[in-house]
Structure formats: C-alpha cells, structure tokens
Amino acid sequence: MSFDDLMAYERQTQALSQVAGRLGWDQETVMPRGAGDQRAEEMGAVAAILHERRTSGRVGDWLAAIDDSTLDAVGQAQMRHIRRDYARATRLPGDLAAEIARTRSLAHQRWAEARAREDVAHFLPMLARMVDLKRAEGAALAENGDAYDALLQDYEPGATAAGLEAMFGALRPRLVALRAACLERPAPKGLSGTFDEAAQMRLSRMLAKTFGYDMARGRVDKAVHPFSSGSGDDVRITTRTAADDPFNCLYSTIHEVGHASYEQGIDAAYRLTPLGQGVSMGVHESQSRIYENQIGRSRAFTGWLHERMREAFGDLGVADADGFYAAVNTLKPGYIRTEADEVQYNLHVLLRFDLERDLIAGRLEVDDLEEAWNARFLADFGYAVDKPSNGCLQDVHWSEGLFGYFPTYTLGNVYAGCLMQALARDLPDWEAHLAKGDLTAVTGWLRARVQQHGGLFEPRAVIAQACGGTEPDEGPLLDYLEAKFGAIYGL
Amino acid sequence: MSFDDLMAYERQTQALSQVAGRLGWDQETVMPRGAGDQRAEEMGAVAAILHERRTSGRVGDWLAAIDDSTLDAVGQAQMRHIRRDYARATRLPGDLAAEIARTRSLAHQRWAEARAREDVAHFLPMLARMVDLKRAEGAALAENGDAYDALLQDYEPGATAAGLEAMFGALRPRLVALRAACLERPAPKGLSGTFDEAAQMRLSRMLAKTFGYDMARGRVDKAVHPFSSGSGDDVRITTRTAADDPFNCLYSTIHEVGHASYEQGIDAAYRLTPLGQGVSMGVHESQSRIYENQIGRSRAFTGWLHERMREAFGDLGVADADGFYAAVNTLKPGYIRTEADEVQYNLHVLLRFDLERDLIAGRLEVDDLEEAWNARFLADFGYAVDKPSNGCLQDVHWSEGLFGYFPTYTLGNVYAGCLMQALARDLPDWEAHLAKGDLTAVTGWLRARVQQHGGLFEPRAVIAQACGGTEPDEGPLLDYLEAKFGAIYGL
C-alpha cells in the first residue's frame, strides 16, 4: 500500500534528520577542535541527501496516489505534514536553496567579524544579499501571497504577520509602561559570593530531574551556548557555568529542559515520523518558557530552590526567600535580548519583528537598519544604543537568513501565559506542590495537554485545546507580568 | 565531466559513511542508555541509504562513461576502488543482503545468550543459518571462483586462502615450538600493586601523544571495548581500565593509537574519497601491532615506560627495567585470543582461519564445530578447553557473519614483522630514540612509508614498497619472536 511505503521512506528521512541533529550536538560538545572543516563537509553531505530525499519524485508519486480520506486521524495528520513539507521543498528552486546555503556561511562569518570590530558597514553587503535571497525565497514559497508570511511558516505554521502584529501591538504599550515603572523603583539586592561550577552542574542535573527530564533518554553537558537537541529517546541538553552567576546556569538548564521534555514527552507511537517533533517554534518556546519562568521563577518554586542553593553554596547574600525571589526576578537596564528578564525580553523581540518585516517588504533598506534599530530602541528603552554589538549586530539570526524566527519567541511567551492560566485553574494547589519541589503534577499536565501530541494538531489548536477551547491571546501573559512584577516592585 | 561528478557523489557517500562511524562511537561512549532501539533504527536508515547510493544506477552510468586511461595515477586508483566496490555491491542480491543484516542481529543476540549460558547448542541453529547465507554471499560475489576467497576481499583485497595457508602453515610449527619452550621455563614475575584508574587514563593520553596521535584531531575516552573510529581529521579512540592491570589500558591505548595514526596520517588530499581510509584490515593491523609490540613492547621503549609508570604509580613490584620488560612480555597459559601475548596470539588466529574455511567450504558442519575447535586447541596448546566461553563461543565475529576477518590479524602481524625489519635497517639508531621516549623518527618512517598512501596502492604492494621492494613473508616475524622470547626466557 502506498501510504505504508511512503511512511517507511519518511521514517528513514526522519532518522537521517535525527542523525544530523546528533552531529550538531557532537560539534558543540565533544568534537576535536581540528575537525571543523571535515565536519562542515559531512554536515553538508547529510543536508544535501536530506534535500534530495525531500524533493524526490518518488514522494510526489506517492502523494498523487494516496487518498487521505481513507486514513485515520493520525494518518491524515502525517499526510498534512508530508504534503506541506513536499510543497515547500519543491517550490524552492534548487539553485536558490544552494545560493542561500552558500551565503549563510559567508554572511555568518562576516557578521562575526563585524560584531567583533563594531563595524556595521562590514556586514551590510552580505546582509543585503541575504535579504534579497530571502525575499526571493518568500516570493517563491508564497506564490501570490505575502513573502514574510511564507517565511514565517518554516517556524510557525499557520501564523500570519497580521495576527502577530495585532498581538504584539497590544503587548507593547503595557510592557513599556511596566518596564518604566519597575526601573523607577529601587532594584532588589542581587546574590553575592562565588559559586563553584561543579556544584552548579550537580544542581543543574538535580533540577533537570526535578522538572521531569528523563536522564535515561538524555544527558546534560556544558557548551558555549545552551541548547536542546534530538527527539524521542535521545534528547540531550547543554548548559554553561559562570562562577559569579549561578542563575545563568540553572535557568538555562530549566529552559532547555522545557524544550527537551517536550521532545521526550511526545507519544512514542510517533517516533521517527513527521508527527514526532514539537509542532512549531512557538509551542516549543511555550514549554521552555513556562518551565523557566511561570514555574521556575514563581514565588513557590524559588522558595524551594532557595533552600537547595543554600545547601549547595552556603550564604547567598540575600536576606530570605522573599529576597531570593526578588533577586531571581530583577529588571536591569541593558541592551542584550538573551540577558533580558521576562518583562523586557519581549520588547527586544517586538523591535526585531517590525524591522525584519520592513526589510523583507522592502520598506527598509539595510543601509538604514542601524538608524532604525537605534531609534526604536531609544523609544522603548529610554536610553541610546552605545555600540553595534549592543544593537543591530547582537543576534546571529539574520546572518543565517532566519527571517520569521524572532516573533516565535514572544509567541511562545504568550502561549506560556495562556497555559499557565489554564494550569492554575485545573490544578488549584499547584503552588503547594512547587513549594515542596514536587513538579510531577504541573509537568504531567503539560505533557498530557501539550507535549504528547507532537505534530498531531496545528500549533494554535494545541494551545487552544490545552486551555479548554479558549483561543490564545496576549491577555493572560500581560496580567501575569503586571501582577508578578507589580508585587515585587511595590507598584 | 563525468569523473568530477562521480567524485562529488563519492565524497557525499564517504561523508555519510564517516557519519555512520561517528554514530557508532557515540553509541559506545556517550549515548543515553534508553536510546538503543531508536539508535538501531537510525543506524539502519543510514546503512540503507548508503547501500542505495552504492548500488545506484547513476554510479553504473558514470562508470560506463569514464575512460580511466585519461586520468592520472591518483584518479585511476580512485576508479579502481569505485569499480570494485560497485561490482561487489551490485553482485549481491538485495534480499540476500537484507537477510544477512536481519540474521546478524538475531545471531548476535543468540550468541551472547549462548556464551552466558555455556550452551553451544543454543547458538548453532543461528550459526548454521549465517554460514548458509555467507556461503551464498561468497558464491554470488565469486561468480565462478572460490567463495571464501570472495569473502576475504571485504577485509583484505588481493589476498587468497591459498596464499594465507602457505604463510600460516610456515608459522604454525615454529610458534607451537616457541610457545612450548617458553612455558617450560619459569614465568617472569608480574607487576603487583593497585593502579589508580584516573592515573592510567592520564598516562594513556601521554602515551597517545608520545606515539604521535594528534589530539587536536581526535580524543581518548573509556569504553567497554577499546576501538578506533573515523578517518581524516576526526579519529577517536577508546580504551578501558582495570585497577589491577595497567597494561590492559596502556597497551590497548597504544594499539588503537596505531590504527588511529594510520587514519590521521593519510594524505589530506584523499580526505572523504575512496583513497581516504586504511587500505585493508591487514595493513591496519600492521600499524596497530607494530606500535603495540615491535615498538611498544621493545626493551628500549619499556625502559622508558618503566620510569613513567614508577612516576605515576610508585613501586611496581618488579626489580628493575629488565624485570619490567619481562613482565610486559610474559606468556601465560590461557584460552582467550584477545588476552594472548605476541607468540600465542597467532595460534588462536590460525585455528579460526582453518575452521572458518572448512565451514564455508562445507567440509565442516556447525554441529561438529565444537569438537573440531577443542581438538585443534588441545593439539596446539597442550591442554583442553574447559568451557565453551573459553572455546568456540569466545569471539563475536562469526555471529556477525565476519568470515574472512580473522586471518587479517595474523597477516597484520606478519606485515609488522616485515616493516620492523626494514625500519631497523633504515633507522639503525631506532632503539636509542625509543629509550628516550622519542618516537618521532619511527612513527615518521611509518607515516611516510605506509600511512600517507591510504588506498593508493594495493595492500601487499604498500608493504613491499615500504620494505624496499621485498615481498612480505612470515620470516621476519618468526625471527623476531624467536630472538626476543628466546632472550627473555633464556632458551
């Protein structure tokens, strides 16, 4: 039967895709430093073979022969993914895909040089080339629709720029106001001391288990950038340590455990099939963010964590559990998205979303990017960008052609806000569990409501179903942030 | 041009093959224990894609279109490998290959159970099935030639059972006599003490560097079984430790460094091409064995190693450097091939070579294997096998269908004997270098004479050229063993 043949073929493709992910993990953790060039060629070969499989005429023949209406719901969901992926892969001309891959490598290098030299002009010609190529990609994928919307589908199937714009437009004024109000108040006292890095890693592994990460199907290592990698029975995470900042390590771990638990939690029946991965970047980020923030930075959980950290490190330089909670949830003036707290983080994202839409639409030229960035930053944050590495050169994404990726960060936060509201309704004593370090109920709720489904439902539908049928919007996130930070800062 | 297109395709195939090797390394070192089933499917998918590429009609079309005489010597050598591999891959019927892969997995499991239970009969039906399949494979590959010779080509291109039989026939009586004479003499005193396992690993890494292993293009980890994995710029080794036996760790490391240095030493121009791996198992084993034995267990080098071990572990329980040398080179009665010394090792191999030829030729049925094994063992070793795990169930090879693999171990020792004779002639002061722990000259000689060529020449030709044109035979190995062990045992 054609469907079984197609699924056997898809399992091989998914398996090879998992293997490519494992190579990425290897490169960032254990690869010998002299192996980089050879590894690049190995990864390139795997990518080329994957592309060839995904655009193979064999798949087209199967798709033409299969009548989806004869399949059960799971089979139809598999077909939805396969048909969509095949349409996208075959719509993109092969020479355009190759040119984007080539430019990505060059632009990434140029970006790193420009950032090190604080020299925006050094990066702009390559960025201009990349923007041109992504406009062309968007146009090819969109057929007669919007190019940016077409690019968005790679990260968040079903999302539109118009929908995100409405959501983000509602977020921005209240976040700007909350941020300003908090920063007018005295900053809470931070931790002091030095924090043994081996002890940070031990605590990281303990936290990973506490949050339900299955160590028999994963592992925790150190890497320059924290990440989660893999699906199913082999989902690995990395974290990093700094002797003066244990929160960087611990909350990076909890964030990645959120991503990894999603992948580990998907129904085993979907393993190595199109349904066997997290359904979108936004839903993925909802899991990492709810683990990290709504759960991990809650008053209830930080009370428990405070004790664990005192056991590990002795005196932390804060008066009590309330002081610890405030130290975990401090707003600091800064420039860098990845270092930002829950309130300011989304303002960084909204800025990028507006600028990248303008770049792709041709309303903004790359020559004017730095000025546009700096003007918007001043408007939202109240102080000027001091150097390009703190401004428009800080993120890797555009150099790699990842236009449409940024908004999924804030969409994930919005989804996390909705999920937390529903979770608290379904589990009224959630804080009592967290105060004891028992996360079984809350992570179990997320597994049952979101994680197990993998790619079975569309992204928005997964969140809406988990929330008892309520369509997701920005309200719960805003209410949560205003209540939480209002209390901490005495607003 | 067709040749360039074919080589681009071959580079992708070689890259994917390297990736498969990396998965094997991952599985034995860092893979989460719960990931085994998924990993098996991932490896199966990579193997299937590799098989599809190797038997693709595209390759056949290229091979038909290319006139090798228009290519330079390197191009012609590439074509020799590609033509040979394609002929072998396409001669083997696809359903036979799949049935062998399936049986390998089942037979391996059955063998492990049988060995644990000391129950030969439990393994025999699966072994019989595997022998039947390998007979069929040999017949398909040989067309009208000898089936065992055809199987040999997977491990040692150009070798024949008749040639090996002549060589091994000359080895056996002198090895049996040398073994018996040594074991009649008092055994040298062994090491005593306990040997910190972390210190063994530190010494292992130091030894790896001393033998020229490039740590920037490799790494040393612990695993259940020592192995070397990868080619070019990413060649990793593993070793193991036991608190009461530091030689197991250190000489496993040196052995694997020999394999790894061969792969690291191949001309960088051949990277990710058919010439970019060691040319045969026999030549590979010649490198691991000459590093381990002729160099690593020499009087000169052990004098230096004795000092390093005293620094690491304190008193070793032997009187002096001569006592240490004797402890490194002790013959002990035993049953197990992998634990055997330089003299007895080859007797274990010769036994397996004769039995496996008889199995494939149909002169021996699996029901009679245990009796045949035990009779031959008694004849060569002078005492009876006490249980199957010390006899015909000790090795994994036959359960995996690796008929034709065993003789390459002894062929490698014979090659190492020839190479050491030539090396000593070319570098008369080699022992003075080794006594100082300076292995630059000897490993440089091996790199220039053997390792750099990769697959450029046929296996025997590489050894003959390295030896100044002398065709390899068993004479130098026998002379070396009789001189060395005659001196140690005072024969």
Side-chain angles (χ1 to χ4, degrees):
Chain A
M1 183 189 149
S2 289
F3 176 69
D4 291 343
D5 294 341
L6 173 58
M7 285 304 292
Y9 181 90
E10 288 290 327
R11 286 186 79 86
Q12 280 193 347
T13 306
Q14 294 290 336
L16 190 59
S17 169
Q18 284 296 310
V19 169
R22 203 82 61 236
L23 285 181
W25 174 87
D26 185 277
Q27 182 162 337
E28 300 299 322
T29 54
V30 295
M31 189 181 81
R33 64 184 157 76
D37 289 350
Q38 180 173 324
R39 175 58 57 90
E41 186 164 348
E42 290 167 6
M43 308 248 303
V46 172
I49 292 167
L50 277 169
H51 179 76
E52 194 178 301
R53 289 181 68 88
R54 286 175 174 145
T55 56
S56 165
R58 274 191 281 180
V59 177
D61 293 344
W62 276 312
L63 293 180
I66 295 168
D67 175 0
D68 295 16
S69 69
T70 62
L71 303 172
D72 64 12
V74 171
Q76 291 186 10
Q78 301 281 18
M79 290 302 293
R80 192 178 69 237
H81 283 269
I82 299 170
R83 288 189 188 280
R84 186 157 60 196
D85 293 347
Y86 182 72
R88 289 183 68 73
T90 50
R91 245 177 239 161
L92 191 64
D95 49 358
L96 178 58
E99 181 61 17
I100 290 173
R102 211 178 63 82
T103 303
R104 178 179 299 133
S105 166
L106 297 170
H108 179 89
Q109 188 182 331
R110 194 65 83 86
W111 164 77
E113 292 165 2
R115 190 171 71 149
R117 295 189 209 163
E118 302 289 357
D119 180 1
V120 177
H122 183 65
F123 176 48
L124 290 184
M126 271 296 160
L127 178 61
R129 178 91 192 110
M130 182 57 92
V131 169
D132 283 346
L133 290 166
K134 296 301 284 190
R135 283 177 187 156
E137 178 184 342
L141 295 176
E143 296 183 326
N144 295 315
D146 179 74
Y148 186 82
D149 278 353
L151 296 175
L152 254 183
Q153 306 312 304
D154 269 347
Y155 314 105
E156 198 66 25
T160 63
L164 293 171
E165 193 176 5
M167 180 182 278
F168 293 176
L171 278 173
R172 189 176 170 207
R174 285 171 67 182
L175 290 177
V176 167
L178 178 59
R179 177 191 173 278
C182 290
L183 287 179
E184 278 172 16
R185 307 283 301 169
K189 188 169 182 314
L191 297 200
S192 58
T194 58
F195 303 88
D196 178 67
E197 296 180 57
Q200 291 186 39
M201 288 303 290
R202 281 195 298 276
L203 198 50
S204 270
R205 291 195 170 86
M206 189 273 277
L207 285 174
K209 286 183 220 170
T210 299
F211 275 85
Y213 179 62
D214 181 356
M215 289 289 229
R217 300 188 294 139
R219 48 181 294 137
V220 181
D221 295 274
K222 280 169 89 163
V224 175
H225 301 288
F227 64 90
S228 164
S229 161
S231 298
D233 286 340
D234 194 347
V235 189
R236 307 178 187 186
I237 66 167
T238 65
T239 187
R240 60 183 164 198
T241 58
D244 61 350
D245 181 9
F247 290 148
N248 190 321
C249 172
L250 301 181
Y251 282 97
S252 293
T253 299
I254 296 172
H255 180 96
E256 300 309 330
V257 161
H259 286 301
S261 295
Y262 187 8
E263 295 292 339
Q264 285 187 335
I266 296 170
D267 191 326
Y270 304 157
R271 191 140 310 157
L272 297 178
T273 77
L275 300 188
Q277 295 88 45
V279 72
S280 73
M281 302 303 299
V283 178
H284 240 297
E285 199 72 8
S286 79
Q287 300 304 292
S288 59
R289 283 284 169 173
I290 199 171
Y291 277 55
E292 178 188 353
N293 292 329
Q294 279 86 355
I295 300 169
R297 289 192 168 94
S298 65
R299 175 62 185 81
F301 181 76
T302 57
W304 179 84
L305 179 62
H306 178 230
E307 292 306 313
R308 302 293 82 70
M309 284 188 68
R310 281 162 49 94
E311 288 165 9
F313 303 115
D315 183 56
L316 304 173
V318 290
D320 54 17
D322 285 325
F324 182 81
Y325 173 57
V328 169
N329 290 288
T330 300
L331 271 71
K332 292 184 189 129
Y335 302 98
I336 301 294
R337 175 183 60 85
T338 57
E339 297 170 0
D341 52 84
E342 285 183 81
V343 175
Q344 299 186 85
Y345 188 87
N346 296 302
L347 292 173
H348 288 281
V349 173
L350 271 43
L351 178 161
R352 287 154 180 76
F353 171 66
D354 287 339
L355 295 181
E356 75 176 16
R357 269 190 310 148
D358 288 348
L359 284 172
I360 294 297
R363 292 187 296 266
L364 176 66
E365 292 306 318
V366 297
D367 286 341
D368 303 319
L369 174 64
E370 185 177 20
E371 191 184 328
W373 180 295
N374 292 350
R376 168 69 173 264
F377 189 87
L378 182 62
D380 282 0
F381 289 81
Y383 46 85
V385 170
D386 59 346
K387 56 187 179 185
S389 65
N390 278 338
C392 67
L393 291 183
Q394 73 180 262
D395 290 306
V396 72
H397 300 58
W398 291 337
S399 77
E400 300 200 334
L402 302 175
F403 292 87
Y405 192 119
F406 279 125
T408 67
Y409 290 128
T410 286
L411 186 60
N413 285 327
V414 167
Y415 287 163
C418 300
L419 291 171
M420 193 63 214
Q421 188 184 56
L423 185 156
R425 197 168 50 223
D426 288 355
L427 303 172
D429 55 351
W430 65 278
E431 290 178 290
H433 290 284
L434 264 54
K436 292 182 291 185
D438 179 357
L439 276 58
T440 321
V442 295
T443 58
W445 188 93
L446 289 165
R447 176 155 297 196
R449 295 302 185 98
V450 177
Q451 295 168 3
Q452 67 162 328
H453 299 308
L456 186 62
F457 307 115
E458 293 289 344
R460 266 185 83 89
V462 177
I463 304 298
Q465 286 179 40
C467 298
T470 310
E471 285 292 319
D473 70 33
E474 67 288 347
L477 176 66
L478 282 168
D479 295 344
Y480 154 80
L481 290 174
E482 287 169 351
K484 174 176 181 176
F485 289 90
I488 292 172
Y489 279 89
L491 302 179
Chain B
M1 182 192 150
S2 289
F3 176 70
D4 292 342
D5 294 340
L6 174 58
M7 286 304 293
Y9 181 90
E10 287 290 326
R11 287 186 79 88
Q12 280 192 346
T13 307
Q14 294 289 336
L16 190 59
S17 169
Q18 285 295 311
V19 169
R22 202 83 58 236
L23 286 181
W25 175 87
D26 186 277
Q27 182 161 338
E28 299 300 322
T29 54
V30 295
M31 188 181 82
R33 64 186 156 76
D37 288 350
Q38 180 172 323
R39 175 57 57 89
E41 186 164 348
E42 290 168 6
M43 306 248 302
V46 172
I49 292 167
L50 277 170
H51 179 76
E52 195 177 301
R53 291 182 67 87
R54 286 175 174 145
T55 55
S56 165
R58 277 191 281 181
V59 177
D61 294 342
W62 276 313
L63 292 180
I66 294 168
D67 175 0
D68 294 17
S69 70
T70 63
L71 304 172
D72 64 10
V74 170
Q76 291 186 10
Q78 301 280 19
M79 290 301 294
R80 191 179 69 237
H81 283 269
I82 299 169
R83 288 189 189 280
R84 187 157 59 196
D85 293 348
Y86 182 72
R88 288 183 69 73
T90 51
R91 244 176 240 162
L92 192 65
D95 49 357
L96 179 57
E99 181 61 16
I100 290 172
R102 210 178 63 82
T103 304
R104 178 179 298 132
S105 167
L106 297 171
H108 179 90
Q109 187 182 331
R110 195 63 83 84
W111 163 79
E113 291 165 3
R115 191 172 70 150
R117 296 188 208 162
E118 301 289 357
D119 179 1
V120 177
H122 183 65
F123 176 48
L124 290 185
M126 272 297 163
L127 178 61
R129 178 89 191 113
M130 183 56 92
V131 168
D132 283 346
L133 290 166
K134 296 300 284 189
R135 282 177 187 155
E137 178 184 341
L141 296 175
E143 296 185 326
N144 293 315
D146 179 73
Y148 186 82
D149 278 352
L151 296 175
L152 254 183
Q153 306 312 304
D154 270 347
Y155 314 104
E156 199 66 23
T160 62
L164 292 171
E165 192 175 5
M167 181 182 276
F168 294 177
L171 279 172
R172 188 176 170 207
R174 285 170 66 180
L175 291 177
V176 168
L178 177 60
R179 176 190 173 279
C182 289
L183 287 179
E184 279 174 14
R185 307 283 301 170
K189 189 170 183 314
L191 297 199
S192 58
T194 58
F195 304 89
D196 178 67
E197 295 179 58
Q200 291 186 39
M201 287 303 291
R202 283 195 297 276
L203 198 50
S204 269
R205 292 195 170 87
M206 188 273 278
L207 284 174
K209 287 184 220 168
T210 299
F211 275 84
Y213 179 62
D214 181 356
M215 289 290 231
R217 299 190 293 140
R219 49 182 292 138
V220 181
D221 295 274
K222 280 169 87 162
V224 175
H225 300 289
F227 63 89
S228 165
S229 160
S231 298
D233 286 340
D234 194 346
V235 188
R236 307 179 186 185
I237 65 168
T238 65
T239 186
R240 60 183 162 197
T241 58
D244 61 348
D245 182 9
F247 290 147
N248 191 321
C249 172
L250 302 181
Y251 282 97
S252 292
T253 298
I254 297 173
H255 181 96
E256 299 308 333
V257 161
H259 285 301
S261 296
Y262 186 8
E263 295 292 339
Q264 286 188 333
I266 295 171
D267 191 326
Y270 304 157
R271 192 141 308 158
L272 297 177
T273 76
L275 301 188
Q277 295 89 43
V279 71
S280 73
M281 302 303 299
V283 178
H284 239 298
E285 199 71 8
S286 79
Q287 301 304 293
S288 59
R289 282 285 169 171
I290 198 171
Y291 277 55
E292 178 187 353
N293 292 329
Q294 278 85 355
I295 300 171
R297 288 193 167 94
S298 66
R299 176 61 186 81
F301 182 75
T302 57
W304 179 84
L305 179 62
H306 178 232
E307 291 305 314
R308 304 291 83 71
M309 285 188 67
R310 282 162 49 94
E311 288 164 10
F313 303 114
D315 182 55
L316 305 172
V318 291
D320 54 17
D322 284 325
F324 182 80
Y325 173 59
V328 169
N329 290 288
T330 300
L331 273 70
K332 291 183 191 131
Y335 301 99
I336 302 294
R337 176 183 59 84
T338 57
E339 297 170 359
D341 54 83
E342 286 183 80
V343 175
Q344 299 187 87
Y345 187 86
N346 296 302
L347 291 173
H348 288 281
V349 172
L350 270 44
L351 177 161
R352 287 154 179 76
F353 170 66
D354 287 338
L355 295 180
E356 74 177 17
R357 269 191 309 150
D358 287 349
L359 285 170
I360 295 297
R363 292 186 296 264
L364 176 65
E365 294 304 320
V366 297
D367 286 342
D368 303 320
L369 173 65
E370 184 178 20
E371 191 185 329
W373 179 295
N374 291 351
R376 168 68 173 262
F377 189 87
L378 182 63
D380 283 359
F381 289 80
Y383 48 86
V385 170
D386 59 346
K387 54 187 179 183
S389 65
N390 278 337
C392 67
L393 290 183
Q394 72 179 263
D395 291 305
V396 72
H397 300 57
W398 291 338
S399 77
E400 299 201 333
L402 302 175
F403 291 87
Y405 192 119
F406 279 124
T408 68
Y409 291 128
T410 286
L411 187 60
N413 286 326
V414 167
Y415 286 164
C418 300
L419 291 170
M420 192 63 215
Q421 186 184 57
L423 185 157
R425 198 168 49 222
D426 288 355
L427 302 172
D429 56 349
W430 67 278
E431 290 179 289
H433 290 284
L434 264 54
K436 291 182 291 186
D438 179 357
L439 276 57
T440 323
V442 295
T443 58
W445 189 93
L446 289 164
R447 175 154 297 197
R449 295 302 185 97
V450 177
Q451 296 168 2
Q452 67 162 328
H453 298 308
L456 187 60
F457 307 114
E458 293 288 345
R460 267 185 80 89
V462 177
I463 304 298
Q465 286 178 39
C467 297
T470 310
E471 286 292 320
D473 70 32
E474 67 288 347
L477 176 66
L478 283 168
D479 294 345
Y480 153 79
L481 290 173
E482 288 170 350
K484 174 176 180 176
F485 288 89
I488 291 171
Y489 280 88
L491 303 179

